[in-house]
Amino acid sequence: MKDFNHDSARTVDEAIELLKNNQGRAKLIAGGTDLLGELKDKVLPTYPEALVNIKTIPDMDYIKEESGGLKIGALTKLREIVTSPLVQESYNILALAAHSVGSPQIRNMGTIGGNLCQDTRCWYYRYPHQIGGRIVCRRKGDRGPCLAVKGDNRYHAIMGGKKCFAVCPSDTATALVALGATMKIVGPGGDRTIPVGNFYNPLGNDLCVDEIVTEIQVPRPSVKAKQNFLKFTLRKPIDFAIVSVASVIRVEAGVCRDASIALGAVAPAPIRATAAEEMIKEKIIDDAIAESAAEMAVTGAKPLSMNAYKVEITKTLVKRAILS
Ligand SMILES: Cc1cc2nc3c(=O)[nH]c(=O)nc-3n(C[C@H](O)[C@H](O)[C@H](O)COP(=O)(O)OP(=O)(O)OC[C@H]3O[C@@H](n4cnc5c(N)ncnc54)[C@H](O)[C@@H]3O)c2cc1C
Ligand code: SF4
């Protein structure tokens, strides 16, 4: 690692002030499970001169229900989300998604804010600079073509890729998109609240260099809705999703009354499979309708040279989620 300053913020305002003073040369650090690996491998476009530790900000780790929804402080550890009776009872896919992240050690350290803001896992981007030099990458501001397009793109996007074809690696983001969650972002000019699905863009996320995510807000789903989170990985323990599907589906007397289905690891952001949702609404759920909806979920998919298999996996998971 290179040397850097390490400042511990005691308030959100202080963290923002420290970020602002460093003018883009500082990074926030929460659990450090993503960031420290990046610093060791020197993969960031520019090495940060300072880390702003936010674990020292009190009262930013909480899980509570207020005015018809769940509020989670950004510093809440993934383990606390997994084991929360409130989350398990009413927002179960968030507990399942958090449980699917990494290992117990990572869930004990990793925070929900860090999970949502974690960097891409594209292996060209993550190729350690010290063992092969820096690989041309649009996400690092390079001008050349993205090497994943003609290279090994087996884990890359099948939808929504433009300049960059990396997928959003966050499992909790997929569950939160299905639940219709929003996130509160605070910066020098005040705060703003955006849907989790709008947080990601083709080259990263929506955060300015002096902003911090402080809270995740989740509307309470209908008690009659069935929730499911399915994640396909190559290895069972400790692996990122090849594809994941989170669903919240309300069926009454065999008829689907409402549906929210989010696809993870297929695009730069988790995306709602709105065509599939429309296909099953007001219909009796059976094998044929689930299969048609699964086809609709991948309408417009444009797989790269090595990842057409992800289209098939997406269809299978969507069908399973609907039939469950
Ligand atoms: C071996 C391994 C396996 C993993 N498997 C999975 C997996 O299966 N699924 C999955 O989803 N993730 C996985 N991860 C990623 C892991 O979930 C993240 O590393 C973790 O959740 C990040 O949380 P953190 O608090 O440690 O973040 P940090 O490492 O501290 O920060 C990560 C990034 O987020 C920024 N950040 C942190 N908090 C905030 C905030 N409040 N506001 C704004 N920016 C912030 C930091 O500046 C940094 O850029 C894995 C990681 C490892 C190392
Ligand atoms: S897919 Fe994105 S992160 Fe990966 S090399 Fe291409 S531009 Fe860089």
Side-chain angles (χ1 to χ4, degrees):
M1 278 196 191
K2 294 184 184 174
D3 289 348
F4 49 79
N5 291 327
H6 187 269
D7 298 308
S8 289
R10 283 158 301 173
T11 62
V12 171
D13 285 346
E14 204 176 300
I16 292 166
E17 192 65 22
L18 285 162
L19 289 173
K20 211 168 119 200
N21 292 345
N22 279 287
Q23 298 178 331
R25 297 186 300 268
K27 293 281 288 178
L28 293 176
I29 181 162
T33 59
D34 182 43
L35 185 63
L36 290 176
E38 292 199 306
L39 297 184
K40 284 181 189 163
D41 286 340
K42 304 187 177 74
V43 299
L44 291 170
T46 47
Y47 208 93
E49 290 174 15
L51 294 191
V52 177
N53 174 26
I54 53 174
K55 289 188 295 297
T56 40
I57 302 177
D59 305 327
M60 241 174 80
D61 57 335
Y62 53 83
I63 300 176
K64 59 187 178 190
E65 217 173 21
E66 244 176 43
S67 43
L70 185 72
K71 293 189 171 173
I72 306 179
L75 282 178
T76 307
K77 304 263 176 58
L78 295 173
R79 184 203 62 229
E80 286 155 20
I81 292 170
V82 174
T83 55
S84 158
L86 174 60
V87 180
Q88 287 176 358
E89 175 71 21
S90 305
Y91 308 85
N92 188 238
I93 43 175
L94 182 56
L96 294 174
H99 186 252
S100 80
V101 171
S103 62
Q105 291 90 338
I106 289 165
R107 297 192 292 273
N108 284 343
M109 288 301 294
T111 62
I112 181 87
N115 189 261
L116 292 171
C117 299
Q118 65 176 292
D119 212 347
T120 175
R121 286 275 153 183
C122 168
W123 50 21
Y124 294 106
Y125 179 96
R126 289 262 176 175
Y127 199 74
H129 288 189
Q130 72 268 26
I131 64 166
R134 177 173 159 152
I135 293 179
V136 173
C137 170
R138 302 292 290 262
R139 227 176 234 255
K140 294 187 184 182
D142 298 330
R143 282 173 167 260
C146 159
L147 290 191
V149 175
K150 290 193 174 165
D152 192 330
N153 48 42
R154 72 185 86 169
Y155 303 135
H156 287 76
I158 53 170
M159 305 175 183
K162 272 188 190 145
K163 294 174 182 164
C164 168
F165 293 82
V167 297
C168 173
S170 168
D171 284 312
T172 61
T174 309
L176 289 169
V177 167
L179 288 163
T182 53
M183 54 209 288
K184 186 173 166 191
I185 296 171
V186 185
D191 63 77
R192 59 195 175 103
T193 301
I194 60 165
V196 172
N198 293 0
F199 179 59
Y200 302 97
N201 63 49
L203 290 177
N205 66 40
D206 194 45
L207 275 186
C208 298
V209 290
D210 48 12
E211 286 186 319
I212 171 170
V213 177
T214 58
E215 188 178 80
I216 321 303
Q217 300 153 347
V218 196
R220 190 176 232 279
S222 162
V223 285
K224 293 180 182 159
K226 172 94 198 267
Q227 303 180 27
N228 208 343
F229 177 77
L230 303 171
K231 174 172 168 180
F232 182 90
T233 55
L234 290 185
R235 294 176 303 183
K236 285 301 152 211
I238 315 183
D239 211 353
F240 287 88
I242 298 289
V243 178
S244 65
V245 171
S247 59
V248 183
I249 299 178
R250 182 162 60 88
V251 175
E252 286 170 18
V255 178
C256 171
R257 297 296 182 199
D258 206 3
S260 171
I261 302 172
L263 312 178
V266 296
I271 44 172
R272 286 275 295 271
T274 45
E277 293 168 2
E278 290 308 317
M279 167 68 91
I280 61 172
K281 274 185 203 164
E282 305 306 332
K283 305 251 174 51
I284 294 171
I285 302 285
D286 60 16
D287 206 72
I289 202 87
E291 193 143 336
S292 306
E295 284 293 339
M296 297 299 285
V298 294
T299 311
K302 286 195 184 123
L304 299 166
S305 57
M306 293 176 71
N307 67 7
Y309 75 99
K310 288 181 69 163
V311 176
E312 298 308 312
I313 294 172
T314 308
K315 286 197 279 187
T316 303
L317 294 192
V318 170
K319 185 178 171 191
R320 281 185 194 166
I322 293 171
L323 289 177
S324 74

Short mmCIF file of all heavy atoms in Angstrom, two decimals, residues 116-174:
data_model
loop_
_atom_site.label_atom_id
_atom_site.label_comp_id
_atom_site.label_asym_id
_atom_site.label_seq_id
_atom_site.Cartn_x
_atom_site.Cartn_y
_atom_site.Cartn_z
N LEU A 116 -23.63 -1.11 -1.03
CA LEU A 116 -24.27 -0.42 -2.16
C LEU A 116 -23.26 0.39 -2.97
O LEU A 116 -23.42 0.56 -4.17
CB LEU A 116 -25.39 0.51 -1.64
CG LEU A 116 -26.59 -0.22 -1.04
CD1 LEU A 116 -27.53 0.77 -0.35
CD2 LEU A 116 -27.34 -1.00 -2.11
N CYS A 117 -22.23 0.91 -2.30
CA CYS A 117 -21.26 1.78 -2.98
C CYS A 117 -20.01 1.04 -3.43
O CYS A 117 -19.09 1.65 -3.98
CB CYS A 117 -20.82 2.92 -2.05
SG CYS A 117 -22.18 3.98 -1.54
N GLN A 118 -19.94 -0.26 -3.22
CA GLN A 118 -18.73 -1.01 -3.57
C GLN A 118 -18.41 -0.84 -5.05
O GLN A 118 -19.28 -0.60 -5.89
CB GLN A 118 -18.88 -2.49 -3.23
CG GLN A 118 -19.96 -3.20 -4.03
CD GLN A 118 -20.02 -4.70 -3.72
OE1 GLN A 118 -19.13 -5.44 -4.04
NE2 GLN A 118 -21.11 -5.13 -3.09
N ASP A 119 -17.12 -1.02 -5.34
CA ASP A 119 -16.65 -0.82 -6.72
C ASP A 119 -16.92 -2.06 -7.57
O ASP A 119 -17.19 -3.14 -7.05
CB ASP A 119 -15.14 -0.52 -6.67
CG ASP A 119 -14.73 0.41 -7.81
OD1 ASP A 119 -15.52 0.62 -8.73
OD2 ASP A 119 -13.60 0.93 -7.74
N THR A 120 -16.78 -1.89 -8.87
CA THR A 120 -17.03 -3.00 -9.79
C THR A 120 -16.06 -4.16 -9.57
O THR A 120 -14.93 -3.97 -9.11
CB THR A 120 -16.92 -2.53 -11.25
OG1 THR A 120 -17.05 -3.66 -12.10
CG2 THR A 120 -15.57 -1.89 -11.54
N ARG A 121 -16.50 -5.35 -9.94
CA ARG A 121 -15.64 -6.54 -9.85
C ARG A 121 -15.11 -6.94 -11.22
O ARG A 121 -14.54 -8.02 -11.36
CB ARG A 121 -16.44 -7.70 -9.26
CG ARG A 121 -16.66 -7.55 -7.77
CD ARG A 121 -15.49 -8.06 -6.98
NE ARG A 121 -15.39 -7.39 -5.70
CZ ARG A 121 -14.41 -7.62 -4.83
NH1 ARG A 121 -13.46 -8.48 -5.11
NH2 ARG A 121 -14.34 -6.95 -3.71
N CYS A 122 -15.30 -6.11 -12.25
CA CYS A 122 -14.77 -6.44 -13.58
C CYS A 122 -13.29 -6.79 -13.45
O CYS A 122 -12.51 -6.04 -12.87
CB CYS A 122 -14.93 -5.24 -14.51
SG CYS A 122 -13.98 -5.44 -16.04
N TRP A 123 -12.91 -7.94 -14.00
CA TRP A 123 -11.52 -8.38 -13.78
C TRP A 123 -10.51 -7.58 -14.58
O TRP A 123 -9.31 -7.65 -14.25
CB TRP A 123 -11.35 -9.88 -13.94
CG TRP A 123 -11.91 -10.53 -15.18
CD1 TRP A 123 -12.22 -9.96 -16.36
CD2 TRP A 123 -12.21 -11.92 -15.29
NE1 TRP A 123 -12.71 -10.90 -17.22
CE2 TRP A 123 -12.71 -12.12 -16.59
CE3 TRP A 123 -12.10 -13.03 -14.44
CZ2 TRP A 123 -13.10 -13.37 -17.05
CZ3 TRP A 123 -12.48 -14.26 -14.90
CH2 TRP A 123 -12.98 -14.44 -16.19
N TYR A 124 -10.90 -6.84 -15.55
CA TYR A 124 -9.94 -5.93 -16.21
C TYR A 124 -9.68 -4.72 -15.31
O TYR A 124 -8.55 -4.30 -15.10
CB TYR A 124 -10.47 -5.48 -17.58
CG TYR A 124 -10.57 -6.62 -18.56
CD1 TYR A 124 -11.80 -7.17 -18.91
CD2 TYR A 124 -9.42 -7.18 -19.12
CE1 TYR A 124 -11.88 -8.24 -19.79
CE2 TYR A 124 -9.50 -8.25 -19.99
CZ TYR A 124 -10.73 -8.77 -20.32
OH TYR A 124 -10.81 -9.83 -21.18
N TYR A 125 -10.77 -4.22 -14.76
CA TYR A 125 -10.66 -3.07 -13.84
C TYR A 125 -9.84 -3.45 -12.62
O TYR A 125 -8.99 -2.69 -12.13
CB TYR A 125 -12.07 -2.64 -13.42
CG TYR A 125 -12.13 -1.48 -12.46
CD1 TYR A 125 -12.34 -0.19 -12.92
CD2 TYR A 125 -12.00 -1.67 -11.08
CE1 TYR A 125 -12.42 0.88 -12.04
CE2 TYR A 125 -12.07 -0.61 -10.20
CZ TYR A 125 -12.28 0.67 -10.69
OH TYR A 125 -12.35 1.72 -9.81
N ARG A 126 -10.09 -4.67 -12.10
CA ARG A 126 -9.47 -5.10 -10.82
C ARG A 126 -8.08 -5.69 -11.02
O ARG A 126 -7.47 -6.13 -10.05
CB ARG A 126 -10.35 -6.16 -10.16
CG ARG A 126 -11.65 -5.61 -9.61
CD ARG A 126 -11.54 -5.36 -8.13
NE ARG A 126 -12.76 -4.74 -7.62
CZ ARG A 126 -13.00 -4.49 -6.35
NH1 ARG A 126 -12.12 -4.79 -5.43
NH2 ARG A 126 -14.10 -3.90 -5.99
N TYR A 127 -7.59 -5.73 -12.25
CA TYR A 127 -6.28 -6.34 -12.45
C TYR A 127 -5.21 -5.51 -11.72
O TYR A 127 -5.06 -4.32 -11.99
CB TYR A 127 -5.96 -6.41 -13.95
CG TYR A 127 -4.87 -7.42 -14.25
CD1 TYR A 127 -5.14 -8.78 -14.18
CD2 TYR A 127 -3.58 -7.01 -14.55
CE1 TYR A 127 -4.14 -9.71 -14.42
CE2 TYR A 127 -2.58 -7.94 -14.78
CZ TYR A 127 -2.88 -9.28 -14.72
OH TYR A 127 -1.89 -10.20 -14.94
N PRO A 128 -4.51 -6.13 -10.77
CA PRO A 128 -3.59 -5.32 -9.94
C PRO A 128 -2.56 -4.58 -10.78
O PRO A 128 -1.90 -5.19 -11.63
CB PRO A 128 -2.91 -6.36 -9.04
CG PRO A 128 -3.85 -7.53 -9.02
CD PRO A 128 -4.50 -7.54 -10.37
N HIS A 129 -2.44 -3.30 -10.55
CA HIS A 129 -1.52 -2.49 -11.35
C HIS A 129 -0.08 -2.96 -11.18
O HIS A 129 0.71 -2.90 -12.11
CB HIS A 129 -1.63 -1.01 -10.96
CG HIS A 129 -2.91 -0.39 -11.43
ND1 HIS A 129 -3.16 0.95 -11.36
CD2 HIS A 129 -4.03 -0.93 -11.98
CE1 HIS A 129 -4.37 1.21 -11.84
NE2 HIS A 129 -4.92 0.09 -12.21
N GLN A 130 0.23 -3.50 -9.98
CA GLN A 130 1.65 -3.84 -9.76
C GLN A 130 2.06 -5.14 -10.44
O GLN A 130 3.23 -5.42 -10.54
CB GLN A 130 1.99 -3.89 -8.26
CG GLN A 130 1.43 -5.07 -7.48
CD GLN A 130 0.08 -4.74 -6.87
OE1 GLN A 130 -0.65 -3.90 -7.37
NE2 GLN A 130 -0.27 -5.42 -5.79
N ILE A 131 1.09 -5.95 -10.92
CA ILE A 131 1.53 -7.18 -11.60
C ILE A 131 1.25 -7.18 -13.10
O ILE A 131 1.48 -8.17 -13.77
CB ILE A 131 0.93 -8.47 -10.97
CG1 ILE A 131 -0.59 -8.51 -11.11
CG2 ILE A 131 1.39 -8.67 -9.54
CD1 ILE A 131 -1.17 -9.88 -10.82
N GLY A 132 0.74 -6.12 -13.63
CA GLY A 132 0.51 -6.17 -15.07
C GLY A 132 0.30 -4.80 -15.67
O GLY A 132 -0.09 -4.67 -16.82
N GLY A 133 0.51 -3.81 -14.86
CA GLY A 133 0.28 -2.47 -15.38
C GLY A 133 -1.20 -2.19 -15.42
O GLY A 133 -2.03 -3.06 -15.14
N ARG A 134 -1.53 -1.00 -15.77
CA ARG A 134 -2.94 -0.62 -15.77
C ARG A 134 -3.57 -0.98 -17.12
O ARG A 134 -3.04 -0.63 -18.17
CB ARG A 134 -2.99 0.89 -15.54
CG ARG A 134 -4.33 1.50 -15.58
CD ARG A 134 -4.18 2.93 -15.16
NE ARG A 134 -5.30 3.70 -15.64
CZ ARG A 134 -5.73 4.78 -15.02
NH1 ARG A 134 -5.12 5.22 -13.95
NH2 ARG A 134 -6.74 5.46 -15.50
N ILE A 135 -4.69 -1.70 -17.08
CA ILE A 135 -5.37 -2.12 -18.31
C ILE A 135 -6.32 -1.00 -18.74
O ILE A 135 -6.99 -0.41 -17.90
CB ILE A 135 -6.11 -3.45 -18.07
CG1 ILE A 135 -5.08 -4.56 -17.83
CG2 ILE A 135 -7.02 -3.79 -19.24
CD1 ILE A 135 -5.67 -5.92 -17.56
N VAL A 136 -6.39 -0.77 -20.05
CA VAL A 136 -7.26 0.29 -20.57
C VAL A 136 -8.70 0.05 -20.11
O VAL A 136 -9.24 -1.03 -20.28
CB VAL A 136 -7.22 0.31 -22.11
CG1 VAL A 136 -8.24 1.29 -22.67
CG2 VAL A 136 -5.83 0.64 -22.60
N CYS A 137 -9.30 1.06 -19.52
CA CYS A 137 -10.64 0.89 -18.93
C CYS A 137 -11.36 2.23 -18.94
O CYS A 137 -10.85 3.22 -18.42
CB CYS A 137 -10.47 0.35 -17.50
SG CYS A 137 -11.97 0.35 -16.54
N ARG A 138 -12.54 2.26 -19.52
CA ARG A 138 -13.32 3.50 -19.60
C ARG A 138 -13.68 4.01 -18.21
O ARG A 138 -13.79 5.19 -17.97
CB ARG A 138 -14.61 3.28 -20.39
CG ARG A 138 -14.39 2.76 -21.81
CD ARG A 138 -13.75 3.79 -22.71
NE ARG A 138 -14.60 4.90 -23.05
CZ ARG A 138 -15.29 5.02 -24.17
NH1 ARG A 138 -15.25 4.08 -25.08
NH2 ARG A 138 -16.02 6.08 -24.41
N ARG A 139 -13.90 3.07 -17.27
CA ARG A 139 -14.27 3.44 -15.91
C ARG A 139 -13.14 4.18 -15.20
O ARG A 139 -13.36 4.88 -14.21
CB ARG A 139 -14.59 2.17 -15.12
CG ARG A 139 -15.86 2.27 -14.33
CD ARG A 139 -16.10 0.94 -13.70
NE ARG A 139 -17.41 0.46 -14.02
CZ ARG A 139 -18.42 0.46 -13.17
NH1 ARG A 139 -18.27 0.86 -11.94
NH2 ARG A 139 -19.59 0.02 -13.54
N LYS A 140 -11.91 3.97 -15.67
CA LYS A 140 -10.78 4.68 -15.06
C LYS A 140 -10.46 5.95 -15.83
O LYS A 140 -9.40 6.55 -15.66
CB LYS A 140 -9.56 3.76 -15.01
CG LYS A 140 -9.77 2.58 -14.09
CD LYS A 140 -8.53 1.74 -13.89
CE LYS A 140 -8.87 0.53 -13.03
NZ LYS A 140 -7.74 -0.34 -12.74
N GLY A 141 -11.35 6.29 -16.78
CA GLY A 141 -11.16 7.52 -17.53
C GLY A 141 -10.32 7.34 -18.77
O GLY A 141 -9.98 8.32 -19.45
N ASP A 142 -9.94 6.09 -19.10
CA ASP A 142 -9.14 5.87 -20.32
C ASP A 142 -10.03 6.03 -21.56
O ASP A 142 -11.23 5.81 -21.50
CB ASP A 142 -8.51 4.47 -20.29
CG ASP A 142 -7.57 4.30 -19.11
OD1 ASP A 142 -6.98 5.31 -18.68
OD2 ASP A 142 -7.44 3.17 -18.59
N ARG A 143 -9.39 6.34 -22.66
CA ARG A 143 -10.17 6.62 -23.88
C ARG A 143 -10.35 5.40 -24.78
O ARG A 143 -11.26 5.34 -25.58
CB ARG A 143 -9.48 7.72 -24.69
CG ARG A 143 -9.75 9.07 -24.11
CD ARG A 143 -8.96 10.16 -24.78
NE ARG A 143 -9.50 11.44 -24.37
CZ ARG A 143 -10.33 12.16 -25.10
NH1 ARG A 143 -10.70 11.75 -26.29
NH2 ARG A 143 -10.79 13.30 -24.66
N GLY A 144 -9.49 4.44 -24.65
CA GLY A 144 -9.53 3.29 -25.57
C GLY A 144 -10.78 2.46 -25.40
O GLY A 144 -11.62 2.73 -24.54
N PRO A 145 -10.91 1.43 -26.25
CA PRO A 145 -12.11 0.58 -26.16
C PRO A 145 -12.08 -0.30 -24.91
O PRO A 145 -11.01 -0.68 -24.45
CB PRO A 145 -12.00 -0.29 -27.42
CG PRO A 145 -10.54 -0.31 -27.76
CD PRO A 145 -9.96 0.99 -27.28
N CYS A 146 -13.25 -0.60 -24.39
CA CYS A 146 -13.35 -1.50 -23.23
C CYS A 146 -12.90 -2.89 -23.66
O CYS A 146 -13.43 -3.48 -24.61
CB CYS A 146 -14.80 -1.52 -22.76
SG CYS A 146 -15.18 -2.98 -21.80
N LEU A 147 -11.91 -3.44 -22.96
CA LEU A 147 -11.34 -4.73 -23.37
C LEU A 147 -12.31 -5.89 -23.17
O LEU A 147 -12.15 -6.95 -23.78
CB LEU A 147 -10.05 -5.00 -22.58
CG LEU A 147 -8.85 -4.11 -22.93
CD1 LEU A 147 -7.60 -4.65 -22.29
CD2 LEU A 147 -8.66 -4.00 -24.44
N ALA A 148 -13.32 -5.70 -22.34
CA ALA A 148 -14.27 -6.79 -22.11
C ALA A 148 -15.08 -7.11 -23.36
O ALA A 148 -15.57 -8.22 -23.52
CB ALA A 148 -15.19 -6.44 -20.95
N VAL A 149 -15.22 -6.15 -24.26
CA VAL A 149 -16.07 -6.37 -25.43
C VAL A 149 -15.51 -7.48 -26.31
O VAL A 149 -16.23 -8.38 -26.73
CB VAL A 149 -16.24 -5.06 -26.24
CG1 VAL A 149 -17.03 -5.32 -27.51
CG2 VAL A 149 -16.94 -4.02 -25.38
N LYS A 150 -14.21 -7.43 -26.54
CA LYS A 150 -13.61 -8.48 -27.38
C LYS A 150 -12.86 -9.51 -26.55
O LYS A 150 -12.34 -10.49 -27.09
CB LYS A 150 -12.65 -7.85 -28.40
CG LYS A 150 -13.39 -7.06 -29.46
CD LYS A 150 -12.50 -6.71 -30.61
CE LYS A 150 -13.32 -6.06 -31.71
NZ LYS A 150 -12.51 -5.39 -32.70
N GLY A 151 -12.77 -9.28 -25.27
CA GLY A 151 -11.99 -10.18 -24.41
C GLY A 151 -12.87 -11.19 -23.69
O GLY A 151 -13.89 -11.63 -24.23
N ASP A 152 -12.46 -11.54 -22.48
CA ASP A 152 -13.20 -12.54 -21.71
C ASP A 152 -14.31 -11.83 -20.93
O ASP A 152 -14.08 -11.19 -19.91
CB ASP A 152 -12.25 -13.27 -20.75
CG ASP A 152 -12.91 -14.50 -20.16
OD1 ASP A 152 -14.14 -14.48 -20.00
OD2 ASP A 152 -12.19 -15.47 -19.86
N ASN A 153 -15.51 -11.96 -21.45
CA ASN A 153 -16.64 -11.20 -20.89
C ASN A 153 -17.69 -12.12 -20.28
O ASN A 153 -18.86 -11.77 -20.23
CB ASN A 153 -17.24 -10.30 -21.97
CG ASN A 153 -17.48 -11.07 -23.27
OD1 ASN A 153 -17.94 -12.21 -23.24
ND2 ASN A 153 -17.17 -10.45 -24.39
N ARG A 154 -17.26 -13.28 -19.79
CA ARG A 154 -18.26 -14.26 -19.33
C ARG A 154 -19.10 -13.77 -18.15
O ARG A 154 -20.20 -14.26 -17.94
CB ARG A 154 -17.58 -15.59 -19.01
CG ARG A 154 -16.73 -15.58 -17.77
CD ARG A 154 -15.99 -16.89 -17.59
NE ARG A 154 -14.74 -16.87 -18.33
CZ ARG A 154 -13.80 -17.80 -18.18
NH1 ARG A 154 -14.00 -18.80 -17.37
NH2 ARG A 154 -12.68 -17.72 -18.86
N TYR A 155 -18.55 -12.84 -17.36
CA TYR A 155 -19.31 -12.36 -16.18
C TYR A 155 -19.88 -10.95 -16.40
O TYR A 155 -20.34 -10.32 -15.45
CB TYR A 155 -18.42 -12.35 -14.94
CG TYR A 155 -17.81 -13.70 -14.63
CD1 TYR A 155 -16.47 -13.84 -14.29
CD2 TYR A 155 -18.58 -14.86 -14.68
CE1 TYR A 155 -15.92 -15.09 -14.02
CE2 TYR A 155 -18.03 -16.10 -14.41
CZ TYR A 155 -16.70 -16.21 -14.08
OH TYR A 155 -16.17 -17.44 -13.81
N HIS A 156 -19.84 -10.47 -17.60
CA HIS A 156 -20.24 -9.08 -17.84
C HIS A 156 -21.73 -8.94 -18.15
O HIS A 156 -22.48 -9.90 -18.09
CB HIS A 156 -19.34 -8.48 -18.93
CG HIS A 156 -17.95 -8.21 -18.44
ND1 HIS A 156 -17.02 -9.20 -18.26
CD2 HIS A 156 -17.34 -7.06 -18.05
CE1 HIS A 156 -15.89 -8.68 -17.80
NE2 HIS A 156 -16.07 -7.38 -17.66
N ALA A 157 -22.10 -7.71 -18.52
CA ALA A 157 -23.52 -7.38 -18.68
C ALA A 157 -24.12 -8.02 -19.93
O ALA A 157 -23.47 -8.14 -20.96
CB ALA A 157 -23.68 -5.86 -18.74
N ILE A 158 -25.39 -8.39 -19.80
CA ILE A 158 -26.14 -8.85 -20.97
C ILE A 158 -27.20 -7.81 -21.36
O ILE A 158 -27.92 -7.97 -22.32
CB ILE A 158 -26.81 -10.22 -20.75
CG1 ILE A 158 -27.67 -10.22 -19.46
CG2 ILE A 158 -25.76 -11.33 -20.68
CD1 ILE A 158 -28.55 -11.46 -19.31
N MET A 159 -27.29 -6.78 -20.55
CA MET A 159 -28.24 -5.70 -20.84
C MET A 159 -27.63 -4.38 -20.38
O MET A 159 -26.87 -4.36 -19.41
CB MET A 159 -29.53 -5.83 -20.03
CG MET A 159 -30.24 -7.11 -20.16
SD MET A 159 -31.65 -7.13 -19.01
CE MET A 159 -32.23 -8.77 -19.32
N GLY A 160 -28.00 -3.31 -21.05
CA GLY A 160 -27.72 -1.97 -20.53
C GLY A 160 -26.27 -1.50 -20.60
O GLY A 160 -25.97 -0.40 -20.17
N GLY A 161 -25.36 -2.32 -21.11
CA GLY A 161 -23.96 -1.88 -21.19
C GLY A 161 -23.78 -0.88 -22.33
O GLY A 161 -24.42 -1.01 -23.37
N LYS A 162 -22.96 0.13 -22.09
CA LYS A 162 -22.66 1.06 -23.19
C LYS A 162 -21.16 1.23 -23.26
O LYS A 162 -20.47 0.47 -23.92
CB LYS A 162 -23.36 2.39 -22.99
CG LYS A 162 -24.76 2.39 -23.58
CD LYS A 162 -25.38 3.76 -23.55
CE LYS A 162 -26.86 3.67 -23.93
NZ LYS A 162 -27.66 4.62 -23.21
N LYS A 163 -20.64 2.24 -22.53
CA LYS A 163 -19.19 2.42 -22.54
C LYS A 163 -18.52 1.33 -21.70
O LYS A 163 -17.40 0.93 -21.97
CB LYS A 163 -18.84 3.77 -21.95
CG LYS A 163 -19.33 4.91 -22.80
CD LYS A 163 -19.08 6.22 -22.09
CE LYS A 163 -19.61 7.37 -22.92
NZ LYS A 163 -19.74 8.59 -22.16
N CYS A 164 -19.22 0.88 -20.68
CA CYS A 164 -18.68 -0.11 -19.75
C CYS A 164 -19.69 -1.25 -19.64
O CYS A 164 -20.89 -1.01 -19.64
CB CYS A 164 -18.48 0.56 -18.39
SG CYS A 164 -18.14 -0.57 -17.03
N PHE A 165 -19.18 -2.48 -19.55
CA PHE A 165 -20.07 -3.64 -19.52
C PHE A 165 -20.00 -4.38 -18.18
O PHE A 165 -20.40 -5.53 -18.08
CB PHE A 165 -19.74 -4.58 -20.69
CG PHE A 165 -20.07 -3.94 -22.01
CD1 PHE A 165 -19.17 -3.05 -22.61
CD2 PHE A 165 -21.28 -4.16 -22.63
CE1 PHE A 165 -19.48 -2.41 -23.79
CE2 PHE A 165 -21.60 -3.52 -23.82
CZ PHE A 165 -20.70 -2.64 -24.40
N ALA A 166 -19.46 -3.71 -17.17
CA ALA A 166 -19.39 -4.33 -15.85
C ALA A 166 -20.79 -4.34 -15.23
O ALA A 166 -21.61 -3.47 -15.52
CB ALA A 166 -18.44 -3.54 -14.95
N VAL A 167 -21.04 -5.33 -14.38
CA VAL A 167 -22.36 -5.40 -13.73
C VAL A 167 -22.27 -4.86 -12.31
O VAL A 167 -21.20 -4.83 -11.71
CB VAL A 167 -22.88 -6.85 -13.69
CG1 VAL A 167 -23.08 -7.39 -15.08
CG2 VAL A 167 -21.97 -7.77 -12.87
N CYS A 168 -23.41 -4.45 -11.77
CA CYS A 168 -23.45 -4.03 -10.37
C CYS A 168 -23.28 -5.27 -9.50
O CYS A 168 -24.07 -6.21 -9.60
CB CYS A 168 -24.79 -3.35 -10.09
SG CYS A 168 -25.01 -2.95 -8.34
N PRO A 169 -22.25 -5.29 -8.64
CA PRO A 169 -22.00 -6.52 -7.85
C PRO A 169 -22.80 -6.63 -6.57
O PRO A 169 -22.73 -7.65 -5.88
CB PRO A 169 -20.50 -6.39 -7.53
CG PRO A 169 -20.25 -4.92 -7.47
CD PRO A 169 -21.24 -4.25 -8.39
N SER A 170 -23.56 -5.60 -6.22
CA SER A 170 -24.20 -5.57 -4.89
C SER A 170 -25.46 -6.43 -4.86
O SER A 170 -26.43 -6.17 -5.58
CB SER A 170 -24.55 -4.13 -4.53
OG SER A 170 -25.39 -4.12 -3.40
N ASP A 171 -25.47 -7.42 -3.97
CA ASP A 171 -26.67 -8.25 -3.81
C ASP A 171 -27.78 -7.51 -3.09
O ASP A 171 -28.95 -7.68 -3.41
CB ASP A 171 -26.32 -9.52 -3.02
CG ASP A 171 -25.57 -10.52 -3.88
OD1 ASP A 171 -26.01 -10.79 -5.00
OD2 ASP A 171 -24.52 -11.03 -3.43
N THR A 172 -27.39 -6.69 -2.11
CA THR A 172 -28.46 -5.99 -1.37
C THR A 172 -29.17 -5.00 -2.30
O THR A 172 -30.36 -4.76 -2.15
CB THR A 172 -27.92 -5.25 -0.13
OG1 THR A 172 -26.97 -4.27 -0.54
CG2 THR A 172 -27.28 -6.21 0.86
N ALA A 173 -28.44 -4.45 -3.29
CA ALA A 173 -29.07 -3.50 -4.21
C ALA A 173 -30.20 -4.18 -4.98
O ALA A 173 -31.26 -3.59 -5.20
CB ALA A 173 -28.02 -2.94 -5.18
N THR A 174 -30.00 -5.44 -5.37
CA THR A 174 -31.03 -6.15 -6.14
C THR A 174 -32.30 -6.31 -5.29
O THR A 174 -33.42 -6.04 -5.75
CB THR A 174 -30.49 -7.54 -6.57
OG1 THR A 174 -29.24 -7.34 -7.21
CG2 THR A 174 -31.44 -8.23 -7.53
#
